Amino acid sequence: MCGIAGIVGSGQHENIAVVKQMTRAMALRGPDGEGIWHEGPVFLGHRRLSIIDLEGGHQPMIVRRDGKNHVIVFNGEIYNHAAIRQRLLRGGVQCESRSDTEALLRLLMEREIPDALNETTGMFAFARWDPDHQRLVLARDRIGIKPLYYHHASDGILSFSSSLDSLTCNQNIERVMDMEALEYFLTLGYPPAPLTLYKGIYELPPGYYLVWENGKIEIQCYWKVDWNRKFKGTEDEAAEQLNGLLNEVVRDHLVSDVPVGAFLSGGIDSSSVVARASRQAGKDFETFTISFPDQQYDESSSARLVADHLKVRHSVIPMANLPVDESACRFTLQQIGQPFADSSCLPTYLVSQSASKKVKVVLSGDGGDELFAGYEDFDWGARICRAQSIPVWTRRLMVTLFTGMTPPPFLRHRSRQAKKGLSYSLLSREEMLIRLKSIIDPEELSNLTWLFEAGGPELSRLRSYLNEERSLEFTAALSRFLTEICLPGDMLRKVDSMSMAASIEVRVPLLDHRLVEFAQSLPVSMKVKGKVRKTLLCRAVKPDLPAEIFRNRKWGFSIPLHKTFDPSFLSFCRKTLTDPNSCVLRLFGKANIDRILSWNEADTNPVEHIWSTYTISHVLWMLIQLEMWCQEKRIALPVESFCRG
């Protein structure tokens, strides 16, 4: 696990200093070593967190062939590097170290790019200089576990990095807000790849590689899930195959020359991973969980139950005094590199920081809910689909009635949910999917800012994506959306950034591409039975875990922002957002900013609005991050925004 950076296309000597600055901006990603290499038009930088071949894996890694330097900077892990090395050896290619980086580089030297990438099992982002063709190749793993950002200038110069803050150390890159990315941030809480909030800076999508040659770039897909592939066997056969796959991928993810532990929430996914990892790793396997004072958000008792059952060494990190304040907001911005709505960044960092004192690698259960239909979104979506059997005119009338009524406080939540569900049932499927994952409904955004027409933001890329697989039934379509868009855009981005801030590597066995391909092929009937979700996964892991955890409700890993904002932070938000020079003030207008602030300052949820207190607090969290990012990075709004404003 490391950080990579570089520039190609200009042989100017000052690029050495720029790449050094970019590399040192990622010191937390790789505290164990730093390396810089340059030759002709290419400058590569690397920060190292030593995991495999502690003595022989230094980077940039160079292999000389026919008098030329083949070079790679690599971030991640190739779990099948030993098997790759054996195949290379049988072909007459000898590796000089046990490093997965060298195995990957020599594989790339022997195979065409897509073939080489599809031969790997792992998580990665890398840049490889090919002197034979004078080209640079960037590539990202299939699921998007490791980040990779790039900027391609009009003069052909390509800059890239694992980190947005690192990439923007290059002063030749303008800092202008991307207004299309802003649409997604305000709707979903993040801009999905390839967009970032920096105009002209892009994120290489998962499963893609980029080739720079003679100043031009070409981007190609090398792996994509076939969502129409169907499992042919019985449910018994599926359970047996899933059990074997879980054992295999967890075994592979335990490959390391340093201690490995795991995050344990007490849910099915992380417990499944820990059950197999502790059995394979042996005694003294370390697990870590967060405890919250609010029982609605706390899973520590379930985690303790699993830990005691599996006889692992378990650590509980209390989060009684979570500092959700200006410094927490600034810290989140620094690690993510752009505004980001997911407030669980903070507990993710806290548990990573605690784990880093005992281990250097942790396994996580991320991905199980997306692949096996575990989220409440699947239930919520199914109920909405069932509501579509009610005549349209009846649903419209009910929405009107709910809109005109003022329910008592104890019915306010149910009333809001009923109105929302009925409203969603009147939408197209792709629109319903967007609403299910929106922090702010698109049409509500048009009431908050002049940026959008009455229907809300266009989100044209996302709508086009959601229309690609019209034959999928709703649960499969939602799983695809969550796996391909939401996971890399939100969950994986958060986990990578916050774990790297603690200089620890997080691995996600449930997102191994072998398991992803298997899970997506399963019929919905093997994942959901009535109101019971993740049925096949539960069946496969039931013998390993205490019966009680299968009866627990699904918990989300989030924090109650509305219960943690103190008056001093709200005062800071009001002062910052209403400053006459505020970009957010220009985009939203003082009346809307005052409304959002007053809703957060109020003791109770405003009856006049559809939002919950949870949503209201996250909207403020998003806007204060957006403004602080604009100020600290000196972000300019594009000219057209001034014309419209």
Side-chain angles (χ1 to χ4, degrees):
M1 189 69 68
C2 310
I4 64 173
I7 298 173
V8 63
S10 169
Q12 295 181 1
H13 189 72
E14 55 264 29
N15 283 339
I16 298 175
V18 176
V19 172
K20 280 184 178 179
Q21 188 178 3
M22 292 167 65
T23 303
R24 288 173 182 172
M26 299 184 292
L28 290 175
R29 294 190 72 92
D32 297 333
E34 177 186 67
I36 304 289
W37 177 87
H38 72 96
E39 181 178 274
V42 61
F43 300 77
L44 302 178
H46 186 264
R47 294 292 313 201
R48 188 184 187 204
L49 182 67
S50 305
I51 303 294
I52 292 175
D53 193 3
L54 307 187
E55 297 300 323
H58 301 291
Q59 297 186 46
M61 183 165 285
I62 304 168
V63 170
R64 286 187 65 80
R65 186 174 69 182
D66 300 330
K68 298 176 182 177
N69 292 320
H70 294 256
V71 190
I72 193 170
V73 284
F74 172 75
N75 169 29
E77 305 293 346
I78 304 297
Y79 302 123
N80 64 333
H81 65 92
I84 290 173
R85 215 164 20 246
Q86 287 300 314
R87 288 196 291 271
L88 289 169
L89 184 60
R90 288 195 294 269
V93 178
Q94 176 72 51
C95 291
E96 298 176 0
S97 70
R98 296 187 302 106
S99 165
D100 59 341
T101 306
E102 184 187 357
L104 175 61
L105 175 55
R106 291 189 183 274
L107 178 66
L108 290 164
M109 293 167 64
E110 298 298 321
R111 307 273 199 278
E112 292 296 321
I113 299 168
D115 295 337
L117 294 174
N118 280 304
E119 200 170 324
T120 64
T121 298
M123 56 179 187
F124 55 80
F126 68 79
R128 183 248 167 154
W129 175 244
D130 177 358
D132 293 332
H133 300 91
Q134 289 289 293
R135 68 185 180 190
L136 187 80
V137 176
L138 305 180
R140 192 176 180 203
D141 65 66
R142 298 169 177 86
I143 309 299
I145 303 168
K146 295 290 97 191
L148 189 55
Y149 303 97
Y150 69 92
H151 176 270
H152 186 225
S154 57
D155 59 3
I157 296 174
L158 178 72
S159 306
F160 67 89
S161 180
S162 300
S163 156
L164 280 171
D165 266 14
S166 163
L167 187 54
T168 53
C169 288
N170 187 341
Q171 297 301 313
N172 293 322
I173 298 176
E174 289 186 328
R175 300 183 180 190
V176 178
M177 187 184 297
D178 187 295
M179 302 308 283
E180 182 186 2
L182 181 63
E183 294 181 6
Y184 288 98
F185 169 66
L186 294 174
T187 305
L188 303 175
Y190 56 88
L195 297 173
T196 76
L197 280 162
Y198 287 98
K199 189 176 181 67
I201 296 180
Y202 299 98
E203 185 175 21
L204 189 64
Y208 278 74
Y209 67 92
L210 178 155
V211 178
W212 176 95
E213 192 171 357
N214 294 323
K216 297 180 181 180
I217 64 171
E218 184 178 353
I219 300 174
Q220 297 286 340
C221 178
Y222 69 88
W223 181 86
K224 198 169 183 63
V225 175
D226 179 4
W227 290 92
N228 292 300
R229 175 173 162 264
K230 303 303 179 185
F231 182 76
K232 302 294 185 182
T234 66
E235 191 162 334
D236 287 342
E237 291 169 335
E240 183 179 357
Q241 189 171 337
L242 175 57
N243 194 46
L245 267 174
L246 286 169
N247 287 330
E248 184 179 349
V249 299
V250 170
R251 180 200 66 212
D252 290 350
H253 282 66
L254 286 170
V255 172
S256 174
D257 291 335
V258 296
V260 180
F263 293 150
L264 177 60
S265 69
I268 302 298
D269 303 332
S270 64
S271 299
S272 303
V273 170
V274 170
R276 282 156 173 74
S278 60
R279 186 166 63 229
Q280 296 181 32
K283 63 178 182 178
D284 298 333
F285 189 74
E286 299 271 3
T287 59
F288 308 87
T289 194
I290 285 280
S291 69
F292 293 97
D294 190 326
Q295 291 301 305
Q296 185 179 351
Y297 295 83
D298 185 50
E299 296 180 276
S300 60
S301 59
S302 295
R304 172 60 70 185
L305 183 70
V306 174
D308 290 345
H309 181 83
L310 297 175
K311 297 179 173 58
V312 296
R313 298 180 63 179
H314 188 58
S315 300
V316 179
I317 300 94
M319 212 158 182
N321 298 307
L322 179 66
V324 181
D325 53 19
E326 178 186 351
S327 62
C329 191
R330 182 166 284 109
F331 175 78
T332 300
L333 273 175
Q334 288 172 343
Q335 305 313 318
I336 302 292
Q338 61 184 347
F340 189 66
D342 193 339
S343 59
S344 64
C345 281
L346 302 175
T348 300
Y349 171 70
L350 192 62
V351 71
S352 298
Q353 185 184 47
S354 179
S356 69
K357 297 173 183 176
K358 296 185 177 181
V359 297
K360 213 168 184 179
V361 176
V362 288
L363 307 184
S364 157
D366 291 331
D369 289 311
E370 289 81 359
L371 295 174
F372 294 96
Y375 285 126
E376 290 186 355
D377 289 334
F378 288 96
D379 275 351
W380 183 220
R383 289 198 297 270
I384 293 170
C385 290
R386 288 195 295 271
Q388 290 176 331
S389 63
I390 302 172
V392 172
W393 70 267
T394 305
R395 282 178 276 151
R396 286 176 176 162
L397 177 60
M398 294 172 72
V399 170
T400 302
L401 291 173
F402 275 114
T403 302
M405 66 185 293
T406 302
F410 68 92
L411 287 178
R412 195 171 297 160
H413 175 72
R414 289 184 179 275
S415 173
R416 184 168 54 245
Q417 293 295 92
K419 178 188 172 184
K420 182 181 287 188
L422 289 165
S423 299
Y424 287 5
S425 74
L426 298 168
L427 303 172
S428 64
R429 190 178 76 172
E430 62 270 15
E431 193 65 37
M432 190 196 308
L433 288 167
I434 292 172
R435 301 298 177 95
L436 281 174
K437 297 311 298 176
S438 296
I439 293 178
I440 311 175
D441 275 357
E443 65 182 16
E444 291 185 25
L445 274 174
S446 61
N447 297 322
L448 280 180
T449 172
W450 54 264
L451 286 167
F452 312 121
E453 304 297 336
E458 292 183 9
L459 306 176
S460 55
R461 294 174 193 250
L462 182 56
R463 294 180 198 279
S464 176
Y465 164 83
L466 293 173
N467 271 307
E468 287 174 0
E469 298 284 358
R470 297 296 299 171
S471 62
L472 294 179
E473 61 85 48
F474 181 82
T475 298
L478 178 56
S479 181
R480 174 177 176 256
F481 179 31
L482 293 173
T483 303
E484 296 185 349
I485 302 296
C486 303
L487 257 177
D490 184 357
M491 184 78 70
L492 296 176
R493 181 176 291 169
K494 169 193 69 181
V495 171
D496 174 81
S497 299
M498 293 298 147
S499 60
M500 285 287 87
S503 300
I504 192 171
E505 175 176 293
V506 176
R507 299 176 177 178
V508 280
L510 299 184
L511 290 176
D512 185 289
H513 75 277
R514 296 164 292 181
L515 195 50
V516 171
E517 290 173 338
F518 170 75
Q520 63 77 28
S521 73
L522 297 171
V524 173
S525 61
M526 291 188 187
K527 298 180 181 181
V528 181
K529 295 187 184 301
K531 293 184 178 181
V532 181
R533 304 187 296 275
K534 292 202 286 197
T535 50
L536 189 70
L537 180 61
C538 290
R539 177 177 174 178
V541 303
K542 195 170 185 178
D544 301 317
L545 300 172
E548 292 90 330
I549 73 162
F550 295 96
R551 296 192 288 267
N552 290 341
R553 65 179 286 270
K554 169 65 188 170
W555 300 82
F557 189 52
S558 58
I559 63 174
L561 280 178
H562 55 288
K563 297 182 180 181
T564 56
F565 288 162
D566 62 28
S568 63
F569 180 64
L570 292 173
S571 176
F572 166 75
C573 291
R574 180 170 287 280
K575 179 181 178 182
T576 303
L577 294 175
T578 59
D579 185 282
N581 295 317
S582 163
C583 286
V584 169
L585 185 68
R586 180 172 190 83
L587 294 172
F588 288 82
K590 190 172 188 305
N592 285 325
I593 296 298
D594 282 339
R595 277 200 300 160
I596 293 167
L597 287 165
S598 64
W599 289 340
N600 277 277
E601 292 162 348
D603 292 332
T604 58
N605 184 33
V607 272
E608 77 274 10
H609 208 279
I610 189 174
W611 291 350
S612 66
T613 51
Y614 181 90
T615 300
I616 288 169
S617 62
H618 277 76
V619 171
L620 179 58
W621 182 248
M622 292 164 66
L623 295 188
I624 191 63
Q625 281 195 59
L626 183 62
E627 180 57 35
M628 292 175 70
W629 175 70
C630 288
Q631 288 183 12
E632 294 182 9
K633 298 300 180 182
R634 298 181 180 178
I635 304 297
L637 295 177
V639 173
E640 59 266 26
S641 69
F642 286 92
C643 296
R644 292 183 64 189

